[in-house]
Each structure stands twice: as structure tokens, then as C-alpha cells.
Amino acid sequence: MPVVGKPLPHESAIGHATGQAPYIEDLPPRADELWVDFVGSPCARGVLERIDADAARALPGVVAVLTAADIPGHNHWGGVVVDEPFLAASELAYVGQPVVAIAAVDRETALRARRAIKLHVREEQPVLTIEEAIAAGEFLGAEQRIARGDFAAAWKSAPHRLETTVTIGGQEQFCLESQSALAIPEEDGTIIVHSSTQNPTEIQAVVAEGLGVGMHRVVCICRRMGGGFGGKETQAAIPAFLVALVASRTGRAARMVYTKDDDMKVTGKRHQYRADIRAAFDEEGTIQGVEIRFHSNGGAFVDLSFAVMERTLFHADNGYFIPNFDVVGRVCRTNLPPNTAFRGFGGPQGVAAIEHTIQEIARVLGRDAADIRRRNCYGIGERDITPYGQRFVHNTLPEIYERLLASSDYAERRRRVAAFNAESRTHLRGLAITPVKFGIAFTATFLNQGNALVNVYTDGTVQVSTGATEMGQGVNTKIRQIVADEFGLPIEAVRMMTTSTEKNINTSPTAASAGTDLNGLAARDACEKILREMRTFAAGIFTGGETGLGTDPALIRFRDGRVFDERRPGNFLLFDQFAKRCRLNRVNIGARGFYATPNLHFDRATGRGNPFNYFTCGAAVAEVLIDRLTGELVVDRVDLLMDIGRMINPGVDRGQVIGGFIQGLGWVTTEELVYSPKGHLLSYSPTTYKIPGVDDVPRDFRVAFLDNARNTHNIYASKAVGEPPLLLGLCAWAAVKDALATVAGAARAVPLNLPATGEEILRCLTALEAHVTALPGVLAPAK
């Protein structure tokens, strides 16, 4: 029976649940192994004048104390721009930036050495915020722009105009496994690096460049990660290089695992944004034009900030056709750790800006924002061209809107919310629906490729290796199902192998929600190459038979562990017997597969092209309750409907949708990054940084899927699911704005920034209700 489409358990589920699945910290230590730590910059901006490490070097058990001068190759790396040092040599750019690497016989000795090293620094005034960077002219790179139509003319002629600004907060990836790496030296100068990374090829490359050796002398291995969320796409590079440097210098294995405090303090996060918006619209709420000026907080170095900003511009339209559209983005340089990839990769910030705009338009017109969203939704066969010139084909958003509004009983609940707000003196309710249209592909076209190695053994079992990295999202489980079905085998006959650059070369990071798309199609390509050989051989075996008929290879079937001519299914060979005969007859039953996504292109000079393979769509309705006295927020109910095509594994995909939504809910309601005036992260532990807990999830959470088999150019008509549901968390933030609009009225803007923490909500309420007469002990009902 086919296994694609079945909700099979995650391939490592038992290991995860029992604690038997090994992560890098769990790998057995070698007798000669060293523990690696680092000393970071004590200030956000300054000049390193001297390093005093004599006391550390004198400690028993300290084997090496290394600085930038000890790096044999290049001391700079970067995924896009090579601008970030592995170890700072003179200029210090953020608090905790690695300056000195320490290798000791154990963790405790390394920590003592870390405390013994003194950095003598001339501290300078840091730039920490977007506003400070703009004022100081501190930017990374040039402006990026996507535009169509004539916004200036639309603005001039519009019946209604709106100017608004929203601040969109960052977010910590908060992986359960911190940044980790283990390096093992081998003969001939080869280094094996076990890294908790989403991007093994990049680790291989930066380690080779830093050590001054060829990539053929570095192998990167990643069995699994304890979470990634984009935080291990580039930021795994520094710990991987430092352990490789120690291993190369000492000839001993070296391991490094950041503490959770260090991980949060020194690694990049989701970018904070400021969006300055102008919108032109008519009495009915039809948007005639939108202009947005985005500024992001890139941190001290480029990392992936340019690509993140580009995806922001691509997604600033979200699900809406806007004829006159002008969006510009600029990355600010600040003295914070370089911000990086995070699930959604800039898309959430773009969507937040336009959803904020929709809510404000609705408030100004005194209309339900759901009506504004439906009125401006992309059309089918018309009004279906994005601002960058790509046609939005197979648009299911109108259907999703109608189904979800009906199934969530939106109209009746809207009436109940209005009645509640008219009566309650202590609480407010809000209700909102928000959509998502998320483009699937890397916007760097060359990354849209994958390769796979499939080996069939003579006992009928199969090994599969791909460049995909497993971080809990289930990519290996899905690929395993694909390969099992290609050969007509039970899932138990297929094993996913550890990801290694020795077996899969020049791979793309597992990111952009494209892991299954690229690697699954590459694995299927390898299977098809093997099956062509097998069918030809099988046709020779089955030719003649009882009927004397010749057999066409196209008639050979692989099903339920059997190989047969479809015209004579009773005359079969068991797959394991057949595989053994293949080898005895010198038939190749191993192959490397490759896939490159076709028809992708984008001209950055003109802002036009076809950057995405397809769009994953959905919508969610949220109803929230706000305590007007404290700002406490409760998400009472969420109804979510997504189009993710034909699911390869409904259990895994449902988990991704729920997990992604909750992570997005955390971003928009509870997760706030707080820095000191000197650039020190203050919210660096679970006690001060609040990811969603049991009490924060919707009290009533309803998840449904649209059955859609039209995405036929992707593997089994499936759609990517990793990132899009996160953006639907914005429905809760929009519902908070909807509730506050009850107090604000048409004449006053709702000054709600993101995240809508209890403190932020209370700040807005205090500002909005200053004109409301308070009764003893309670607030007056909204006017």
C-alpha cells in the first residue's frame, strides 16, 4: 500500500520522546577531546587595545588560547558579503563578539580560563536602534525597491489618505539545542565537523577558508538539530570554525556547545523593523495605492539581511492586489549581533505592515476589516499580477476566505463582539481575519537545487542521503515516504542516512520551506534512474512467461514489495530476490539524483521576474479578550484554514501548521527583546524572554485544510508548509488592534506596535482612554 499521504510517525519520534536521539553534546567523547569556549567583547562598540591571557594560559588543563593572529586562512566569513570576523582583531562591533578562543581539558577549566582573560578596550558610543542608525547614516548596502504604477498620482487623487508608522519587533529562535559543534582531526589534514547546522555546505566552505585548506579536506556532518528556525542557517559558522581551528592546531578532537545564555546574547535574531506607510483608498475601502519605507535593524554585519529585506518587499502586498505600489527597504547597521534568518525570512515583517494598514483603513472608514480584506483580495484570472510581475496562478484565497468566514461563524461573532464591547466596563474583545500568500523558493535563484544519493541493497533495503537537514520538521520522514513509494516498499525498508557533505555536494541550506520540494524531487530523480535500469532487466526476466508475450519495460510495476508485469500480476518476484538478481547480473541499482526548480528568474535592476515556484496560502480568524485594567491578553479562539496541496504526511504537516502558528503567535504577543542602553541583551533566558506557554495558546484552536491537487509541478502536488503558518499568527495582533479601535474611534490612530505584550496593550489603552471618564474602580464603557 502507498505510504505517501499517510500520517506516519516522525522517523526520530521514539528517540525524541525517550531521549535516545543523540545530539552533538550527547556524542561519546574521545579520550583526547578538548572543550572549547570563547571570550567575547565586553562592549557594543570599541577598539581592542590589548589581550591579557597569561593567567589563563598558566592554568592547569588549558591547552590553547587562540586569537585572530592564530587563524591560518581568512579571518572573515559571510553568506552574502564576507565581512564578519571569526575572532575580532581590533574593532569590536557588538557585546559578546568572539575575541579569544579557549581549549581546555574540560568545560570547567575552559570557564576558569575565560574568566581569567582580560580584554583592554577603548569603548565607543554604540548605535543600537533603527532611529539612531538613520540619524547617523549607518547602513548596510543600498536601498532595495519594488514598484509599479504611479503612487504619487494615486495619493494625490484619492478620497482618503492615511499616514502611519508601525514598529515590528524581533524574535529569538530559542532552539532547545544551542549552537553546537564537534571537530575531529583525521590524517592528511582532514577535519570532520559535526555541526548543528541547516547549511552543511556553508560550514564546509567557511571552515576550509578559515583554515586555508581546500573544501575536499573538510567534511561537515549533521544528523539532526534540536531546532533551527533559521538561526542555524549561517550562525552555526563561528562555533564550527572555532572547534575546527582548535582541532587543527592541537591534533585533538574539540567540542563546543553554547550555554543558552551565551546563545541568546551573541547570536542574531529576527530583524526588528520600522515601517513608514502611506495608503490611498476610497469610501468602500478599495486600496488605490500603498507606499512603504522599511528600515530593518541588521546588526553589526550583513549576514543574510539583504535577502531578508528582499523577501520583505516581495511579501508586503500579502494577499492584496494593489495597483499602485511602491516599497523601499534599507538595512541599518547597528552594534547588535548580526541579525539573521528566522522562519518566514522577512516575509512576516512585510505582511505585518500591510495588515496594520488594512486595520487602520477599516478604523478610519468605520468598516469591518474583513470586508476591506475581501474587497482587495487577489482575483482569479484578473487582478492577479504581483507588483514584481509574477502571475498569481491557482489562487485559492477567495475560496479560503468564504469557507473560513462561514465555518468560523464570523458574522454572528462580530455582532456578539460589538455587543460585548458596548456593555463591558472592564474588558474588550477583538475579532480579525488575516490571510497569507507566501512565495515558495529561494529568492537567490541558484539555491533552488538539490541532490540525493539512493542505494538499493541486495536484501531489498534502501539507503537515502540528501542535503536536507533534519531539525524536527520531518523532512527526512517525508523523503523516506517518497522513496518507499517509488520502489513499492514498506517504510521500514528505507533508511535516511546522516546528512554529510561527503555524500551530497554543494547543497542549499534547509530553508525557504523548500527542503522537501528540492530534496524530495532529487531523491525521486535518483529512484527513477534506478527504476529505469530495473525495469529493463525485469522486462527480460518476464519476457515469454506463460503467455509467450514480450514485456515492455513500461509495463513493469513495483508494488507491495513485488516486481511484476502489470498484465500478469500473479507472476512476480519479491523485491529482495529481484535486487539480488540485479547485482548478480551487473545491473546498477544505485544512483545520484538532481533537481533544479525550473522557470525561476528575477531582475533586481527592474524589480521584475518570477522569483517563486508557487504560493502557499491560508487564513486564520482570531478572537481575543483584553483586560482594560491590566492589558492582559487571552486568545480565546482561532480558526485556521490552509491550502498546502496534497499532504505527503498529514501528521507531520499538521504539526508544522500548529507549531508555526504558535511561534508566530509568540512573535506578535509575548516575545520581546529588551536591550540595555549599552547594548547588552537583558531578556536572555526563559525568565525574562517569554515564548508561548500552555496558557498562551488559543483556548479553542480549530485547524482545517483545503483539499487542492492543482499544484502538479511539485512533488505529489504537495505544497511547502514550514514558514507560511507562522504569518497567520498576525491574526491575533490584528484582533488586538480591532479591540483597541473600539476605544480609539475613527479620528484616532491605534498606536499598537508589535509584539502586543500586556505592557504594550496597556500603554495603548492608557493613551487612548485618557479622554474617557473613569468610574470608581473601573473604566467607563467604550464610546
Side-chain angles (χ1 to χ4, degrees):
M1 294 293 292
V3 293
V4 167
K6 300 291 193 305
L8 301 182
H10 189 288
E11 55 123 20
S12 295
I14 293 174
H16 291 160
T18 61
Q20 294 177 314
Y23 296 87
I24 287 174
E25 193 166 8
D26 304 318
L27 298 177
R30 292 199 344 177
D32 66 344
E33 187 172 294
L34 299 173
W35 188 267
V36 179
D37 206 332
F38 70 92
V39 177
S41 169
C43 65
R45 186 173 184 177
V47 176
L48 178 65
E49 296 183 329
R50 183 165 58 88
I51 300 171
D52 185 355
D54 291 344
R57 289 191 174 96
L59 287 173
V62 173
V63 176
V65 176
L66 305 174
T67 68
D70 298 302
I71 295 174
H74 299 294
N75 184 31
H76 285 81
W77 68 282
V80 178
V81 177
V82 181
D83 65 338
E84 182 172 359
F86 292 113
L87 294 174
S90 57
E91 180 183 345
L92 301 177
Y94 62 89
V95 172
Q97 181 183 6
V99 177
V100 181
I102 302 157
V105 294
D106 54 38
R107 189 194 302 248
E108 292 72 22
T109 302
L111 183 59
R112 285 198 295 273
R114 173 173 165 166
R115 292 168 177 163
I117 293 173
K118 305 299 180 187
L119 302 182
H120 298 268
V121 173
R122 185 173 76 249
E123 191 169 349
E124 298 176 349
Q125 181 65 33
V127 173
L128 302 175
T129 68
I130 290 172
E131 289 72 21
E132 290 172 352
I134 293 172
E138 292 277 2
F139 298 106
L140 294 164
E143 285 188 345
Q144 301 176 60
R145 185 184 187 196
I146 291 176
R148 75 159 165 212
D150 187 341
F151 172 77
W155 176 261
K156 185 176 180 180
S157 63
H160 291 278
R161 290 178 287 189
L162 171 72
E163 294 188 68
T164 181
T165 295
V166 62
T167 297
I168 302 162
Q171 187 179 18
E172 161 67 35
Q173 290 89 356
F174 210 91
C175 301
L176 292 179
E177 181 194 27
S178 297
Q179 302 285 355
S180 310
L182 167 66
I184 301 170
E186 295 200 337
E187 59 185 83
D188 299 329
T190 296
I191 300 287
I192 307 296
V193 180
H194 294 262
S195 176
S196 183
T197 178
Q198 296 172 238
N199 198 351
T201 289
E202 181 174 65
I203 295 299
Q204 179 189 25
V206 299
V207 167
E209 290 164 4
L211 295 181
V213 301
M215 289 176 68
H216 66 309
R217 296 203 183 278
V218 180
V219 176
C220 179
I221 297 172
C222 179
R223 176 67 184 96
R224 60 170 57 83
M225 288 166 277
F229 309 119
K232 295 175 181 175
E233 185 173 342
T234 60
Q235 304 258 308
I238 287 180
F241 174 72
L242 293 183
V243 294
L245 176 64
V246 168
S248 176
R249 293 276 300 201
T250 66
R252 298 169 66 170
R255 189 183 318 232
M256 184 179 207
V257 180
Y258 283 10
T259 65
K260 178 52 66 180
D261 285 6
D262 282 344
D263 200 347
M264 292 187 72
K265 288 177 180 178
V266 307
T267 60
K269 312 181 189 314
R270 187 187 298 282
H271 294 69
Q272 182 196 32
Y273 272 60
R274 171 183 166 136
D276 296 292
I277 305 162
R278 295 197 296 168
F281 52 99
D282 65 18
E283 291 287 349
E284 300 301 315
T286 300
I287 301 175
Q288 299 172 347
V290 168
E291 176 192 76
I292 309 177
R293 295 294 180 262
F294 289 106
H295 286 91
S296 71
N297 191 327
F301 303 105
V302 170
D303 198 272
L304 296 172
S305 290
F306 298 163
V308 169
M309 177 59 77
E310 183 174 69
R311 187 168 280 266
T312 296
L313 304 187
F314 281 136
H315 286 79
D317 61 326
N318 196 20
Y320 311 112
F321 178 80
I322 303 170
N324 301 288
F325 196 66
D326 190 345
V327 288
V328 174
R330 193 82 189 266
V331 180
C332 296
R333 183 200 301 271
T334 65
N335 294 112
L336 295 177
N339 286 315
T340 189
F342 196 125
R343 196 174 190 174
F345 202 79
Q349 293 95 322
V351 172
I354 195 64
E355 295 304 331
H356 165 79
T357 305
I358 295 282
Q359 290 295 139
E360 287 299 286
I361 290 172
R363 178 190 57 78
V364 169
L365 297 177
R367 290 176 174 268
D368 188 341
D371 296 333
I372 309 297
R373 290 185 168 96
R374 284 192 295 179
R375 174 174 293 276
N376 291 283
C377 182
Y378 273 104
I380 299 173
E382 60 179 2
R383 302 174 62 256
D384 61 351
I385 305 296
T386 66
Y388 42 90
Q390 180 166 356
R391 185 175 296 277
F392 183 11
V393 298
H394 303 317
N395 176 14
T396 55
L397 278 177
E399 181 181 358
I400 288 170
Y401 269 127
E402 297 311 313
R403 287 197 181 193
L404 186 58
L405 289 171
S407 65
S408 67
D409 197 20
Y410 183 91
E412 174 57 30
R413 289 167 63 194
R414 170 57 70 193
R415 286 190 287 271
R416 292 201 299 264
V417 165
F420 177 90
N421 288 340
E423 294 294 328
S424 177
R425 299 186 176 195
T426 59
H427 290 78
L428 287 170
R429 286 196 177 276
L431 183 68
I433 180 172
T434 61
V436 63
K437 172 185 67 68
F438 196 86
I440 304 301
F442 287 96
T443 54
T445 304
F446 80 94
L447 291 176
N448 294 286
Q449 59 176 300
N451 61 77
L453 177 64
V454 176
N455 294 324
V456 179
Y457 292 94
T458 55
D459 64 353
T461 60
V462 182
Q463 287 184 346
V464 185
S465 304
T466 77
T469 53
E470 178 61 60
M471 61 197 89
Q473 84 280 33
V475 64
N476 281 351
T477 305
K478 289 184 175 183
I479 294 173
R480 191 180 177 206
Q481 288 177 263
I482 291 167
V483 172
D485 268 11
E486 289 295 311
F487 289 114
L489 294 173
I491 192 72
E492 295 78 15
V494 179
R495 181 166 187 260
M496 295 300 300
M497 305 305 293
T498 296
T499 303
S500 168
T501 57
E502 185 179 12
K503 291 176 290 187
N504 296 97
I505 62 167
N506 307 326
T507 58
S508 299
T510 305
S513 301
T516 299
D517 290 9
L518 297 176
N519 296 282
L521 282 160
R524 187 169 73 172
D525 181 57
C527 293
E528 288 173 346
K529 290 176 179 177
I530 297 167
L531 287 167
R532 281 196 293 272
E533 299 280 342
M534 284 184 154
R535 286 193 177 100
T536 300
F537 178 56
I541 294 174
F542 290 120
T543 290
E546 296 176 2
T547 64
L549 295 174
T551 297
D552 183 344
L555 300 176
I556 299 297
R557 297 290 175 264
F558 296 78
R559 190 176 303 144
D560 298 329
R562 301 179 179 189
V563 184
F564 56 90
D565 183 322
E566 68 174 13
R567 298 169 299 176
R568 300 185 293 274
N571 181 24
F572 63 84
L573 287 171
L574 294 176
F575 186 85
D576 57 347
Q577 297 171 349
F578 177 67
K580 186 173 183 179
R581 289 182 67 168
C582 285
R583 193 215 173 188
L584 293 174
N585 286 272
R586 297 185 296 178
V587 176
N588 180 20
I589 52 175
R592 181 176 297 280
F594 180 80
Y595 176 76
T597 310
N599 304 318
L600 297 180
H601 57 89
F602 182 70
D603 186 336
R604 286 172 174 81
T606 63
R608 293 290 182 274
N610 203 71
F612 301 117
N613 192 22
Y614 59 87
F615 297 95
T616 293
C617 299
V621 174
E623 183 173 346
V624 302
L625 178 69
I626 295 171
D627 187 320
R628 293 173 69 169
L629 300 175
T630 66
E632 181 184 7
L633 172 68
V634 173
V635 181
D636 271 342
R637 176 174 162 182
V638 168
D639 297 70
L640 184 152
L641 177 62
M642 286 210 74
D643 166 21
I644 52 174
R646 289 290 175 88
M647 291 181 275
I648 293 173
N649 187 313
V652 167
D653 286 348
R654 183 179 178 85
Q656 283 289 285
V657 168
I658 292 172
F661 177 85
I662 297 301
Q663 192 169 44
L665 185 66
W667 170 54
V668 304
T669 62
T670 67
E671 299 184 40
E672 185 176 22
L673 296 166
V674 180
Y675 294 88
S676 77
K678 292 287 190 178
H680 294 259
L681 180 67
L682 302 178
S683 52
Y684 60 82
S685 75
T687 59
T688 52
Y689 184 80
K690 183 167 174 36
I691 62 172
V694 173
D695 288 341
D696 301 302
V697 302
R699 301 293 194 265
D700 183 352
F701 194 11
R702 309 182 188 194
V703 177
F705 298 95
L706 187 73
D707 187 17
N708 174 20
R710 289 179 290 173
N711 196 40
T712 54
H713 58 288
N714 196 41
I715 183 86
Y716 296 138
S718 66
K719 285 190 173 185
V721 68
E723 293 171 291
L726 182 142
L727 285 75
L728 293 179
L730 282 160
C731 67
W733 186 71
V736 173
K737 285 183 67 67
D738 176 70
L740 294 177
T742 304
V743 179
R748 307 190 69 193
V750 176
L752 181 72
N753 291 315
L754 187 157
T757 61
E759 295 88 346
E760 173 67 11
I761 292 171
L762 189 60
R763 182 190 66 78
C764 289
L765 281 168
T766 301
L768 292 171
E769 292 180 322
H771 67 292
V772 177
T773 302
L775 297 176
V778 297
L779 293 173
K783 300 296 185 183

